[in-house]
Amino acid sequence: MQEEVFYSVRMRASKNGPHEKGGKHISGGEQLSTYANLKHSVNTLLEKAISHSRGNPDFMQIQFEMIDKPIKKIQPLPMGTHEVGSVEEGQSVARSLLQKAGVPAEMIEKAYEQVTEYSDLRGAILFDIRSGSRIDDRQQKGVRVSRMDWLTTNFEKWADHYQMPRSPRVKEALVLATKVSTHPATVAELCWSDDPEYITGYVASKQLGYQRITKLKEYGDERGCRIFFVDGLSDRHSYIDYLEKQPLFVQWGEDE
Ligand code: WAQ
Ligand code: MG
Ligand code: MG
Ligand code: MG
């Protein structure tokens, strides 16, 4: 696989104009594809954008570019699921997991105070656990993690083994969480979807793994959240460069 040439394929879609002109974010997606598979990749992303629960986009862009670096392979984070009965219970589980991962309690509260302000980005925000402030300079865009994927056959083996749905959403979230948590400056991640029908979210970190929480918002709510809690970030630019540019495949087990 390492000798094969791969392409990064990215999609973003919005409504009421493009994102940079104030349009509402509908959907984004990123894949790694061989040349032979590009048509399929582009189609998958097109399909994702035009049949989205956040609405029909009136702007969409799909691009691909060849990757000129070796692609790293890493094991998926271990996974756990917390069944909760209410948003309040779910959010309290999330807070205690973040604390376990090493985010000080007062910094968790500071981040939550800012959550609604950042709920309609198409990327993630970087939150510094020392200063208690957002440290990326991406405003309404946020930082979009890219150049990562998980071969479908290997993901489906993982899903069957853990009795998880073979869902692209779970695959994409676990790929992203695995990539983000692998960087030593990442303390933890907090995420829930901006899709109105999807209420399960997670807290992830290198030591805790990927901890799913079955209810982090109410049905119908289009406010999502993606925060990377970071510490000791002397070089913010190389961190963002890792998130956006380091190509990486998640691979479970030993097999190809
Ligand atoms: N890089 C950075 N931020 C992203 C990316 C990305 N590649 N993709 C999405 N986001 C941000 C963006 O602000 C979205 O609005 C927000 O995250 C939510 O994205 O185990 O579906 O794709 O059952 O709607 C987690 C639980 C599901 C899955 C998360 O997020 C499971 C989800 P969505
Ligand atoms: Mg999306
Ligand atoms: Mg997604
Ligand atoms: Mg979404």
Coordinates of all heavy atoms in Angstrom, one line a residue, residues 64-143:
F64 N -9.4 17.3 -5.7 CA -8.4 16.3 -5.3 C -7.0 16.7 -5.6 O -6.8 17.6 -6.5 CB -8.7 14.9 -5.9 CG -8.5 14.8 -7.4 CD1 -7.2 14.6 -7.9 CD2 -9.5 14.7 -8.3 CE1 -7.0 14.5 -9.3 CE2 -9.3 14.5 -9.7 CZ -8.0 14.4 -10.2
E65 N -6.1 16.2 -4.8 CA -4.6 16.5 -5.1 C -3.8 15.3 -4.7 O -4.1 14.6 -3.8 CB -4.2 17.8 -4.4 CG -4.5 17.8 -2.9 CD -4.5 19.2 -2.3 OE1 -3.7 20.1 -2.6 OE2 -5.4 19.4 -1.4
M66 N -2.7 15.1 -5.5 CA -1.9 14.0 -5.2 C -1.1 14.2 -3.9 O -0.7 15.3 -3.6 CB -0.9 13.8 -6.4 CG -0.2 12.4 -6.3 SD 0.8 12.2 -7.8 CE 2.3 13.1 -7.3
I67 N -0.9 13.1 -3.2 CA -0.1 13.2 -1.9 C 1.3 12.8 -2.2 O 1.6 11.8 -2.8 CB -0.7 12.3 -0.9 CG1 -2.1 12.9 -0.4 CG2 0.2 12.1 0.3 CD1 -2.9 12.0 0.5
D68 N 2.2 13.7 -1.8 CA 3.6 13.5 -2.1 C 4.5 13.0 -0.9 O 5.7 13.1 -0.9 CB 4.2 14.8 -2.7 CG 4.0 16.0 -1.8 OD1 3.5 15.8 -0.7 OD2 4.2 17.1 -2.3
K69 N 3.8 12.7 0.2 CA 4.5 12.2 1.4 C 4.1 10.7 1.7 O 3.0 10.3 1.3 CB 4.1 13.0 2.6 CG 4.6 14.4 2.7 CD 4.5 14.9 4.1 CE 3.6 16.1 4.2 NZ 3.4 16.6 5.6
P70 N 5.0 10.0 2.4 CA 4.6 8.6 2.8 C 3.4 8.7 3.7 O 3.3 9.7 4.5 CB 5.8 8.1 3.5 CG 6.9 9.1 3.5 CD 6.3 10.3 2.8
I71 N 2.5 7.7 3.6 CA 1.3 7.7 4.5 C 1.5 6.9 5.7 O 1.8 5.7 5.6 CB 0.1 7.2 3.6 CG1 -0.1 8.1 2.4 CG2 -1.2 7.2 4.5 CD1 -1.2 7.6 1.5
K72 N 1.3 7.5 6.9 CA 1.5 6.7 8.1 C 0.3 5.8 8.3 O -0.8 6.1 7.9 CB 1.5 7.7 9.3 CG 2.8 8.4 9.5 CD 2.9 9.1 10.9 CE 4.2 9.7 11.0 NZ 4.2 10.8 12.0
K73 N 0.5 4.7 9.1 CA -0.6 3.8 9.5 C -0.7 3.8 11.0 O 0.4 3.5 11.6 CB -0.3 2.4 9.0 CG -0.6 2.2 7.5 CD -0.4 0.7 7.2 CE -0.3 0.5 5.7 NZ 0.1 -0.9 5.4
I74 N -1.8 4.0 11.5 CA -2.0 3.8 13.0 C -3.2 3.0 13.3 O -4.2 3.0 12.6 CB -2.0 5.2 13.7 CG1 -3.0 6.2 13.1 CG2 -0.6 5.8 13.8 CD1 -3.1 7.4 13.9
Q75 N -3.2 2.4 14.5 CA -4.3 1.6 15.0 C -5.4 2.6 15.5 O -5.1 3.6 16.1 CB -3.8 0.8 16.2 CG -2.8 -0.3 15.9 CD -3.4 -1.5 15.1 OE1 -4.6 -1.8 15.4 NE2 -2.6 -2.1 14.2
P76 N -6.7 2.2 15.3 CA -7.7 3.0 15.9 C -7.7 3.1 17.4 O -7.2 2.1 18.0 CB -9.0 2.3 15.4 CG -8.6 0.9 15.2 CD -7.2 0.9 14.7
L77 N -8.1 4.2 18.0 CA -8.2 4.3 19.4 C -9.2 3.2 19.9 O -10.1 2.8 19.2 CB -8.8 5.6 19.8 CG -8.0 6.9 19.7 CD1 -8.9 8.1 20.0 CD2 -6.8 6.8 20.7
P78 N -8.9 2.6 21.1 CA -9.9 1.7 21.7 C -11.2 2.5 22.0 O -11.2 3.7 22.1 CB -9.2 1.3 23.0 CG -8.0 2.1 23.2 CD -7.7 2.8 21.9
M79 N -12.3 1.8 22.0 CA -13.6 2.4 22.0 C -14.4 2.0 23.2 O -14.4 0.8 23.7 CB -14.4 2.1 20.8 CG -15.8 2.6 20.7 SD -16.8 1.8 19.5 CE -16.6 0.1 20.0
G80 N -15.2 2.9 23.8 CA -16.2 2.5 24.8 C -17.4 3.3 24.6 O -17.4 4.3 23.9
T81 N -18.6 2.8 25.1 CA -19.8 3.6 24.9 C -20.5 3.8 26.3 O -20.6 2.9 27.1 CB -20.8 2.8 24.0 OG1 -20.2 2.6 22.7 CG2 -22.1 3.5 23.8
H82 N -20.9 5.0 26.5 CA -21.7 5.3 27.8 C -23.1 5.6 27.4 O -23.4 6.6 26.7 CB -21.1 6.6 28.4 CG -19.6 6.5 28.7 ND1 -19.1 6.2 30.0 CD2 -18.5 6.5 27.9 CE1 -17.8 6.1 29.9 NE2 -17.4 6.3 28.6
E83 N -24.0 4.7 27.9 CA -25.4 4.9 27.6 C -26.0 5.9 28.7 O -25.8 5.7 29.9 CB -26.2 3.6 27.8 CG -25.7 2.5 26.9 CD -26.4 2.6 25.5 OE1 -27.3 3.4 25.3 OE2 -25.9 1.8 24.6
V84 N -26.6 7.0 28.2 CA -27.1 8.0 29.1 C -28.6 8.2 28.8 O -29.0 8.0 27.7 CB -26.3 9.3 29.1 CG1 -24.9 9.0 29.6 CG2 -26.3 9.9 27.7
G85 N -29.3 8.7 29.8 CA -30.7 8.9 29.7 C -31.1 10.3 29.3 O -32.3 10.6 28.9
S86 N -30.2 11.3 29.4 CA -30.6 12.7 29.1 C -29.3 13.5 28.7 O -28.2 13.0 28.9 CB -31.1 13.4 30.4 OG -30.1 13.5 31.4
V87 N -29.6 14.6 28.1 CA -28.5 15.5 27.7 C -27.6 15.9 28.9 O -26.4 15.9 28.9 CB -29.0 16.8 27.0 CG1 -27.9 17.7 26.6 CG2 -29.7 16.4 25.7
E88 N -28.3 16.2 30.0 CA -27.6 16.6 31.2 C -26.7 15.6 31.7 O -25.5 15.8 32.0 CB -28.6 17.0 32.3 CG -29.5 18.2 32.1 CD -30.5 18.0 30.9 OE1 -31.1 16.8 30.7 OE2 -30.7 18.9 30.1
E89 N -27.2 14.3 31.7 CA -26.3 13.2 32.2 C -25.2 13.0 31.2 O -24.0 12.8 31.6 CB -27.2 11.9 32.3 CG -26.4 10.8 32.9 CD -27.2 9.4 32.8 OE1 -28.4 9.4 32.5 OE2 -26.5 8.4 33.0
G90 N -25.5 13.1 29.9 CA -24.4 13.0 28.9 C -23.3 14.0 29.0 O -22.1 13.7 29.0
Q91 N -23.8 15.3 29.2 CA -22.8 16.3 29.3 C -22.0 16.2 30.6 O -20.8 16.6 30.6 CB -23.5 17.7 29.2 CG -24.0 18.1 27.8 CD -22.9 18.2 26.8 OE1 -21.7 18.2 27.1 NE2 -23.3 18.4 25.5
S92 N -22.6 15.7 31.6 CA -21.8 15.5 32.9 C -20.8 14.4 32.7 O -19.7 14.5 33.2 CB -22.8 15.4 34.1 OG -22.6 14.2 34.8
V93 N -21.1 13.3 32.0 CA -20.2 12.3 31.7 C -19.0 12.9 30.8 O -17.8 12.6 31.1 CB -20.8 11.1 30.9 CG1 -19.8 10.1 30.4 CG2 -21.8 10.4 31.8
A94 N -19.4 13.7 29.9 CA -18.4 14.3 29.0 C -17.4 15.2 29.8 O -16.2 15.1 29.7 CB -19.0 15.2 27.9
R95 N -17.9 16.0 30.7 CA -17.1 16.8 31.6 C -16.1 16.0 32.4 O -15.0 16.3 32.6 CB -17.9 17.7 32.5 CG -18.5 18.9 31.9 CD -19.4 19.6 32.9 NE -19.7 21.0 32.6 CZ -20.7 21.4 31.8 NH1 -21.5 20.5 31.2 NH2 -20.9 22.7 31.6
S96 N -16.6 14.9 33.0 CA -15.7 14.1 33.9 C -14.7 13.3 33.0 O -13.6 13.2 33.5 CB -16.5 13.2 34.8 OG -17.2 12.2 34.1
L97 N -15.0 12.9 31.8 CA -14.0 12.3 31.0 C -12.9 13.3 30.6 O -11.7 13.0 30.6 CB -14.7 11.7 29.7 CG -15.5 10.4 29.9 CD1 -16.3 10.1 28.6 CD2 -14.6 9.3 30.3
L98 N -13.4 14.5 30.3 CA -12.4 15.6 29.9 C -11.4 15.8 31.1 O -10.2 16.0 30.9 CB -13.1 16.9 29.5 CG -13.8 16.9 28.2 CD1 -14.7 18.1 28.0 CD2 -12.8 16.8 27.0
Q99 N -12.0 15.8 32.3 CA -11.1 16.0 33.5 C -10.2 14.9 33.6 O -9.0 15.1 33.9 CB -12.0 16.2 34.7 CG -11.5 17.3 35.6 CD -12.5 17.5 36.8 OE1 -13.7 17.4 36.6 NE2 -11.9 17.7 38.0
K100 N -10.7 13.7 33.5 CA -9.8 12.5 33.5 C -8.7 12.5 32.5 O -7.6 12.1 32.8 CB -10.6 11.2 33.2 CG -10.9 10.3 34.3 CD -11.4 9.0 33.7 CE -12.0 8.1 34.8 NZ -12.8 7.0 34.1
A101 N -9.0 13.1 31.4 CA -7.9 13.2 30.3 C -6.9 14.3 30.6 O -5.9 14.4 30.0 CB -8.6 13.5 29.0
G102 N -7.2 15.1 31.6 CA -6.2 16.1 32.0 C -6.6 17.6 31.8 O -5.7 18.5 31.9
V103 N -7.8 17.8 31.4 CA -8.3 19.2 31.3 C -8.8 19.7 32.6 O -9.7 19.1 33.2 CB -9.4 19.4 30.2 CG1 -9.7 20.8 30.0 CG2 -9.0 18.6 28.9
P104 N -8.2 20.8 33.2 CA -8.6 21.3 34.5 C -10.1 21.7 34.4 O -10.6 22.3 33.4 CB -7.7 22.5 34.7 CG -6.6 22.4 33.8 CD -7.1 21.6 32.6
A105 N -10.8 21.5 35.5 CA -12.2 21.7 35.6 C -12.6 23.2 35.2 O -13.6 23.4 34.4 CB -12.8 21.5 37.0
E106 N -11.8 24.1 35.6 CA -12.2 25.5 35.3 C -12.0 25.8 33.8 O -12.7 26.6 33.2 CB -11.5 26.5 36.1 CG -10.0 26.6 35.9 CD -9.2 25.6 36.8 OE1 -9.7 24.6 37.2 OE2 -8.0 25.9 37.0
M107 N -11.1 25.1 33.1 CA -10.9 25.2 31.7 C -12.0 24.6 30.9 O -12.4 25.0 29.9 CB -9.6 24.6 31.3 CG -8.4 25.4 31.8 SD -8.5 27.1 31.2 CE -7.5 27.9 32.4
I108 N -12.6 23.5 31.5 CA -13.7 22.8 30.8 C -14.9 23.8 30.8 O -15.6 24.0 29.8 CB -14.1 21.5 31.6 CG1 -12.9 20.5 31.5 CG2 -15.4 20.9 31.0 CD1 -13.1 19.3 32.3
E109 N -15.1 24.5 32.0 CA -16.2 25.4 32.1 C -16.0 26.6 31.1 O -17.0 27.0 30.5 CB -16.4 25.9 33.5 CG -16.9 24.9 34.5 CD -18.0 23.9 33.9 OE1 -19.0 24.4 33.4 OE2 -17.8 22.7 34.0
K110 N -14.8 27.1 31.0 CA -14.5 28.2 30.1 C -14.8 27.8 28.6 O -15.4 28.5 27.9 CB -13.0 28.6 30.2 CG -12.7 29.5 31.3 CD -11.5 30.4 31.0 CE -11.4 31.5 31.9 NZ -10.2 32.3 31.8
A111 N -14.5 26.5 28.3 CA -14.7 26.1 26.9 C -16.2 26.0 26.7 O -16.7 26.4 25.6 CB -14.1 24.7 26.7
Y112 N -17.0 25.4 27.7 CA -18.4 25.3 27.5 C -19.1 26.7 27.4 O -20.1 26.8 26.7 CB -19.0 24.5 28.7 CG -19.1 23.1 28.4 CD1 -18.1 22.2 28.8 CD2 -20.2 22.5 27.7 CE1 -18.2 20.8 28.6 CE2 -20.3 21.2 27.4 CZ -19.3 20.3 27.9 OH -19.4 19.0 27.6
E113 N -18.5 27.7 28.0 CA -19.1 29.1 27.9 C -19.0 29.5 26.5 O -19.9 30.3 26.0 CB -18.3 30.1 28.8 CG -18.7 30.0 30.3 CD -17.7 30.7 31.1 OE1 -16.9 31.6 30.6 OE2 -17.6 30.4 32.3
Q114 N -18.0 29.0 25.7 CA -17.8 29.5 24.4 C -18.5 28.6 23.3 O -18.4 28.9 22.1 CB -16.3 29.7 24.1 CG -15.7 30.7 25.0 CD -14.2 30.7 24.9 OE1 -13.6 30.6 23.9 NE2 -13.5 30.7 26.1
V115 N -19.0 27.4 23.7 CA -19.5 26.4 22.8 C -20.5 26.9 21.8 O -20.3 26.7 20.6 CB -20.0 25.2 23.6 CG1 -21.1 24.5 22.8 CG2 -18.9 24.2 23.9
T116 N -21.5 27.7 22.2 CA -22.5 28.1 21.3 C -22.0 29.1 20.3 O -22.4 29.1 19.1 CB -23.7 28.7 22.0 OG1 -23.3 29.6 23.0 CG2 -24.6 27.7 22.6
E117 N -21.0 29.9 20.7 CA -20.4 30.9 19.8 C -19.7 30.2 18.6 O -19.6 30.7 17.5 CB -19.3 31.6 20.6 CG -18.7 32.8 20.0 CD -17.6 33.4 20.9 OE1 -17.8 33.3 22.2 OE2 -16.7 33.9 20.4
Y118 N -19.2 29.0 18.8 CA -18.5 28.2 17.8 C -19.3 27.1 17.2 O -18.7 26.2 16.5 CB -17.2 27.6 18.4 CG -16.3 28.6 19.1 CD1 -15.8 28.4 20.3 CD2 -16.0 29.8 18.4 CE1 -14.9 29.3 20.9 CE2 -15.2 30.8 19.0 CZ -14.6 30.5 20.3 OH -13.8 31.4 20.8
S119 N -20.6 27.1 17.3 CA -21.4 25.9 16.9 C -21.7 25.9 15.4 O -22.2 24.9 15.0 CB -22.7 25.9 17.7 OG -23.5 27.0 17.3
D120 N -21.3 26.9 14.6 CA -21.6 26.7 13.2 C -20.3 26.8 12.3 O -20.4 27.3 11.2 CB -22.7 27.6 12.7 CG -22.5 29.1 13.1 OD1 -21.4 29.6 13.0 OD2 -23.4 29.7 13.7
L121 N -19.2 26.4 12.9 CA -18.0 26.3 12.1 C -18.0 25.1 11.2 O -18.8 24.1 11.5 CB -16.7 26.2 13.0 CG -16.5 27.2 14.1 CD1 -15.1 27.1 14.6 CD2 -16.8 28.6 13.6
R122 N -17.2 25.0 10.2 CA -17.1 23.8 9.4 C -15.8 23.0 9.9 O -15.6 21.9 9.4 CB -17.0 24.0 7.9 CG -15.8 24.7 7.3 CD -15.9 24.7 5.8 NE -14.8 25.1 5.1 CZ -14.4 26.3 4.8 NH1 -15.1 27.3 5.2 NH2 -13.3 26.5 4.0
G123 N -15.1 23.6 10.8 CA -13.9 22.9 11.3 C -13.9 22.8 12.8 O -15.0 23.0 13.4
A124 N -12.8 22.6 13.4 CA -12.7 22.5 14.9 C -12.0 23.7 15.4 O -11.3 24.5 14.7 CB -11.9 21.3 15.2
I125 N -12.2 24.0 16.7 CA -11.4 25.1 17.4 C -10.3 24.4 18.2 O -10.5 23.4 18.8 CB -12.3 26.0 18.2 CG1 -12.8 25.4 19.4 CG2 -13.5 26.5 17.4 CD1 -13.1 26.4 20.5
L126 N -9.2 25.2 18.3 CA -8.1 24.7 19.2 C -8.2 25.5 20.5 O -8.2 26.8 20.4 CB -6.7 25.0 18.6 CG -6.5 24.5 17.1 CD1 -5.0 24.6 16.8 CD2 -7.0 23.0 17.0
F127 N -8.4 24.9 21.6 CA -8.6 25.5 22.9 C -7.4 25.2 23.8 O -7.1 24.1 24.1 CB -9.9 25.0 23.5 CG -10.3 25.8 24.7 CD1 -11.1 26.9 24.7 CD2 -9.9 25.3 26.0 CE1 -11.4 27.6 25.8 CE2 -10.2 26.0 27.2 CZ -11.0 27.1 27.1
D128 N -6.7 26.3 24.2 CA -5.5 26.1 25.0 C -5.9 26.0 26.5 O -6.5 26.9 27.1 CB -4.6 27.4 24.8 CG -3.4 27.3 25.7 OD1 -2.9 26.2 26.1 OD2 -2.9 28.4 26.1
I129 N -5.5 24.9 27.1 CA -5.9 24.6 28.5 C -5.1 25.4 29.5 O -5.3 25.4 30.7 CB -5.9 23.1 28.9 CG1 -4.4 22.6 28.9 CG2 -6.7 22.3 27.9 CD1 -4.4 21.3 29.7
R130 N -4.1 26.2 29.1 CA -3.4 27.1 30.0 C -4.0 28.5 30.0 O -4.3 29.0 31.1 CB -1.9 27.2 29.6 CG -1.2 25.9 29.9 CD 0.3 26.0 29.6 NE 0.9 24.6 29.7 CZ 1.5 24.2 30.7 NH1 1.6 24.9 31.8 NH2 2.0 22.9 30.7
S131 N -4.3 29.0 28.9 CA -4.8 30.4 28.8 C -6.3 30.4 28.9 O -6.9 31.4 29.1 CB -4.3 31.1 27.5 OG -4.8 30.4 26.4
G132 N -7.0 29.2 28.6 CA -8.4 29.2 28.6 C -9.0 29.9 27.4 O -10.1 30.4 27.4
S133 N -8.3 30.0 26.3 CA -8.8 30.7 25.1 C -8.5 29.9 23.8 O -7.7 29.0 23.8 CB -8.2 32.1 25.0 OG -6.8 32.0 25.0
R134 N -9.3 30.3 22.8 CA -9.1 29.7 21.5 C -7.8 30.3 20.9 O -7.6 31.5 20.9 CB -10.4 30.2 20.7 CG -10.3 29.6 19.3 CD -11.5 30.0 18.5 NE -11.4 29.5 17.1 CZ -12.2 29.8 16.1 NH1 -13.2 30.5 16.3 NH2 -12.0 29.2 14.9
I135 N -7.0 29.4 20.3 CA -5.7 29.8 19.8 C -5.5 29.6 18.3 O -4.5 30.0 17.8 CB -4.6 29.1 20.6 CG1 -4.7 27.6 20.5 CG2 -4.5 29.6 22.0 CD1 -3.4 26.9 20.8
D136 N -6.5 29.1 17.6 CA -6.4 29.1 16.2 C -6.8 30.4 15.6 O -7.6 31.1 16.3 CB -7.1 27.9 15.5 CG -8.6 28.0 15.7 OD1 -9.1 27.6 16.8 OD2 -9.3 28.6 14.8
D137 N -6.4 30.7 14.4 CA -6.8 32.0 13.9 C -7.7 31.9 12.7 O -7.6 32.6 11.7 CB -5.5 32.8 13.5 CG -4.6 31.9 12.6 OD1 -5.0 30.8 12.3 OD2 -3.6 32.4 12.2
R138 N -8.6 30.9 12.8 CA -9.4 30.5 11.6 C -10.8 31.0 11.6 O -11.6 30.7 10.8 CB -9.4 29.0 11.4 CG -8.0 28.4 11.1 CD -7.4 28.9 9.9 NE -6.1 28.5 9.6 CZ -5.8 27.3 9.1 NH1 -6.7 26.4 8.8 NH2 -4.5 26.9 8.9
Q139 N -11.1 31.8 12.6 CA -12.4 32.5 12.7 C -13.6 31.5 12.4 O -13.7 30.4 13.0 CB -12.5 33.7 11.8 CG -11.8 34.9 12.3 CD -10.4 34.9 11.8 OE1 -10.0 34.4 10.7 NE2 -9.5 35.6 12.6
Q140 N -14.4 31.8 11.4 CA -15.6 31.0 11.1 C -15.3 29.7 10.4 O -16.2 28.9 10.2 CB -16.6 31.8 10.2 CG -17.4 32.8 11.1 CD -18.0 32.1 12.3 OE1 -17.5 32.4 13.4 NE2 -19.0 31.3 12.1
K141 N -14.1 29.5 10.0 CA -13.7 28.3 9.3 C -13.3 27.2 10.3 O -13.8 26.1 10.1 CB -12.5 28.6 8.3 CG -12.1 27.5 7.5 CD -11.0 28.0 6.5 CE -10.5 26.9 5.6 NZ -9.1 26.5 6.0
G142 N -12.5 27.6 11.3 CA -12.0 26.5 12.1 C -10.9 25.8 11.4 O -10.6 26.1 10.3
V143 N -10.4 24.7 12.1 CA -9.3 23.9 11.5 C -10.0 22.6 11.0 O -10.6 21.9 11.8 CB -8.2 23.6 12.5 CG1 -7.2 22.7 11.9 CG2 -7.6 24.9 13.0

